[in-house]
Amino acid sequence: MSEINNGKPEMCIKDSDHLYRLIISQLFYDGHTSIASSLAVQVNADPPCSPSDRLRSVVMKGLQHETDRQKESEQALNLNPIQQMLIGPGIDLEFDTDVICTAPQPSLYETIYVTSHKGACNAGAFSPDGQLIATGSSDASIKILDIERMLAKAHEIGSTDIIEGQGHPVIRTLYDHLEGVTCLDFHPNKPILASGSRDCHVKFFDYSKITVKKAYKTITDVVPIRCISFHPLGNYMVVGTNCPIIRLYDINTVQSYVCSVPSQQHTGPVTSIKFEPGAKYFVSSSRDGSIKLWDGVSNKCVNTFERAHNGSQVCSVTFSRNGKYILSSGKDSLVKLWELSTSRCLIAYTGAGTIGKQEHHTQALFNHTEEFVMFPDEVTTSLCTWNARNASRQNLLSLGHNGPIRSIVHSPNSAAFLTCSDDFRARFWCIRH
């Protein structure tokens, strides 16, 4: 056991054999003989473990240093003190397995505002500061709405049946695509909205200009665009299409880069793509059923989760704020939390699908504090919610849509989210004060 003393703490935890032997020895020491014997058989502990109080002493010493480790982890998120106070450090199962949730349950949210398109509403996005939302539709239009105006209108009228007029929440309506809009993403630090479409174009709009209608820059592809994600610094963008090959674009030069190893690419259309907040990696999912982790600098695949959802198509992937976990959803109606350091599924959030499979793609997501995981049930159009750390089911929320939810996004810094549906409508939800 001397190897444990000299090894790094994180390596000790990963070394399951040593850890299990410490647990068995502690159980024998505490008098839980039957449990210890059963565990010893399960893990094939050889040679037999003797009673020892070593695990308790190791844990007590570790807890004394855990506060410093957690502070270092939180500082790595690059959150300012106000953000830390409002939304906390996010999910981190190394430190906070028994945290009591302080954020309101999503089932308590109410519809504050409804906006309509002339076709299915396919895409939604929040601005990084949480002050604006954007919606995109199969009618090829994009709307940008001011959240403060939505809240003011809802308070003034006391109803979600808002009439167009002065101070209307829709501050920009953009028309520059020839076919339906499939994805949206706000630039991390400039007043720019990017949109992808079935017309094979990615367009960039400067919404700081009141009269803006058309894009100031366009990326042209040869296949329909399915998903986009800005680099956290805003200079690059990754693009997923109906083609399996992922493109990394320089926003300034519009030059495209692809991985130099063709065998590392997906074998089916890309369904979701997202940069890690620290920009070290980006993650992608595909109809081929796999999840791939890519190096954010070299653009090479560094890990692949084959058959991530038991062979079903993977619908969405997103990182936790600290970059330690990936949250995914699949057409098997399962939501999974993956730990990158061990390349395994830590938690499966179950019970969302009444028939165990979906017809359409939708997203799983964290709330702003990462205390809850959210996922819309396709058949009932209800919002399923789980405690992110222990997967306990929370109350359902009827989303009020008359069609499948094609996009659901949560505010980055407040208790609010947006749902977009085939019923031509986008609903803005938050806690009504």
Side-chain angles (χ1 to χ4, degrees):
M1 303 292 271
S2 60
E3 297 175 14
I4 297 180
N5 296 334
N6 299 327
K8 295 181 179 180
E10 59 268 23
M11 295 307 296
C12 296
I13 294 301
K14 303 301 181 188
D15 193 335
S16 298
D17 289 339
H18 287 308
L19 178 60
Y20 292 151
R21 291 184 66 83
L22 285 173
I23 293 172
I24 293 167
S25 295
Q26 186 69 53
L27 288 170
F28 275 127
Y29 185 88
D30 293 339
H32 302 296
T33 306
S34 60
I35 300 175
S37 300
S38 176
L39 180 58
V41 171
Q42 292 292 325
V43 301
N44 193 26
D46 185 34
C49 303
S50 57
S52 170
D53 195 36
R54 180 170 173 73
L55 179 60
R56 180 183 286 113
S57 64
V58 169
V59 169
M60 295 307 296
K61 290 178 180 178
L63 289 174
Q64 294 174 8
H65 299 285
E66 191 170 68
T67 302
D68 294 335
R69 286 186 61 210
Q70 187 168 9
K71 287 180 180 178
E72 291 174 2
S73 177
E74 291 174 7
Q75 289 171 357
L77 299 178
N78 296 320
L79 297 178
N80 62 47
I82 300 299
Q83 290 174 315
Q84 287 279 14
M85 180 178 64
L86 291 176
I87 61 177
I91 187 171
D92 193 338
L93 298 178
E94 286 189 84
F95 299 110
D96 57 9
T97 54
D98 297 321
V99 168
I100 297 175
C101 295
T102 57
Q105 281 194 33
S107 61
L108 300 176
Y109 291 30
E110 299 178 57
T111 298
I112 298 299
Y113 189 81
V114 179
T115 187
S116 298
H117 285 270
K118 296 178 181 178
C121 194
N122 299 323
F126 274 86
S127 62
D129 60 6
Q131 297 300 307
L132 301 173
I133 60 171
T135 62
S137 169
S138 59
D139 65 8
S141 72
I142 300 168
K143 292 183 179 182
I144 300 179
L145 298 93
D146 184 281
I147 290 178
E148 285 191 7
R149 292 189 184 186
M150 284 192 283
L151 295 172
K153 279 289 185 183
H155 178 72
E156 172 188 336
I157 299 177
S159 160
T160 58
D161 299 323
I162 309 298
I163 302 172
E164 299 267 352
Q166 187 176 8
H168 192 266
V170 178
I171 61 171
R172 306 283 187 274
T173 303
L174 310 173
Y175 300 98
D176 204 15
H177 284 291
L178 300 177
E179 294 188 44
V181 177
T182 56
C183 49
L184 298 165
D185 197 21
F186 281 92
H187 193 281
N189 47 51
K190 294 180 181 179
I192 295 170
L193 176 68
S195 61
S197 168
R198 293 188 184 95
D199 64 9
C200 308
H201 292 120
V202 176
K203 292 182 178 288
F204 299 87
F205 300 88
D206 183 355
Y207 59 83
S208 65
K209 300 176 181 178
I210 298 177
T211 58
V212 64
K213 294 290 184 183
K214 303 294 183 180
Y216 73 91
K217 183 177 292 186
T218 299
I219 292 175
T220 301
D221 212 306
V222 294
V223 286
I225 310 298
R226 295 185 64 93
C227 47
I228 57 177
S229 179
F230 272 112
H231 184 282
L233 296 179
N235 296 324
Y236 297 90
M237 169 178 280
V238 281
V239 177
T241 69
N242 279 345
C243 170
I245 300 173
I246 290 173
R247 283 85 154 150
L248 174 66
Y249 284 96
D250 184 313
I251 300 302
N252 298 315
T253 63
V254 197
Q255 184 167 353
S256 174
Y257 304 89
V258 298
C259 176
S260 59
V261 186
S263 61
Q264 293 183 354
Q265 297 287 354
H266 286 288
T267 58
V270 180
T271 57
S272 180
I273 200 162
K274 202 72 177 176
F275 257 107
E276 181 256 330
K280 294 180 181 179
Y281 305 103
F282 62 89
V283 64
S284 63
S285 63
S286 170
R287 284 186 180 178
D288 64 15
S290 71
I291 296 171
K292 288 182 177 287
L293 185 68
W294 305 81
D295 186 286
V297 176
S298 69
N299 201 23
K300 291 184 178 181
C301 180
V302 296
N303 200 357
T304 300
F305 302 89
E306 299 286 358
R307 294 179 58 83
H309 283 262
N310 306 311
S312 296
Q313 297 179 23
V314 185
C315 302
S316 70
V317 283
T318 188
F319 280 98
S320 62
R321 288 203 304 273
N322 58 20
K324 293 182 178 181
Y325 310 99
I326 291 172
L327 187 72
S328 69
S329 68
K331 276 200 170 183
D332 56 359
S333 296
L334 292 178
V335 179
K336 295 185 176 183
L337 185 73
W338 303 83
E339 184 182 46
L340 294 186
S341 62
T342 58
S343 301
R344 65 192 179 102
C345 176
L346 275 187
I347 303 176
Y349 306 92
T350 61
T354 54
I355 58 175
K357 59 181 180 180
Q358 295 173 218
E359 181 180 352
H360 305 288
H361 288 146
T362 190
Q363 298 87 38
L365 67 159
F366 292 108
N367 74 326
H368 61 300
T369 61
E370 295 187 352
E371 293 173 324
F372 296 107
V373 168
M374 303 159 60
F375 182 70
D377 180 89
E378 183 177 87
V379 176
T380 63
T381 63
S382 296
L383 181 68
C384 298
T385 306
W386 300 266
N387 181 300
R389 295 171 176 83
N390 59 31
S392 60
R393 285 288 299 273
Q394 309 296 307
N395 294 329
L396 293 174
L397 172 66
S398 176
L399 293 173
H401 286 286
N402 297 319
I405 309 300
R406 291 307 185 98
S407 178
I408 177 170
V409 287
H410 202 286
S411 168
N413 52 23
S414 63
F417 66 90
L418 177 73
T419 54
C420 304
S421 171
D422 276 359
D423 66 3
F424 298 11
R425 291 177 174 83
R427 290 177 174 267
F428 175 72
W429 302 77
C430 74
I431 298 296
R432 188 187 292 270
H433 296 288

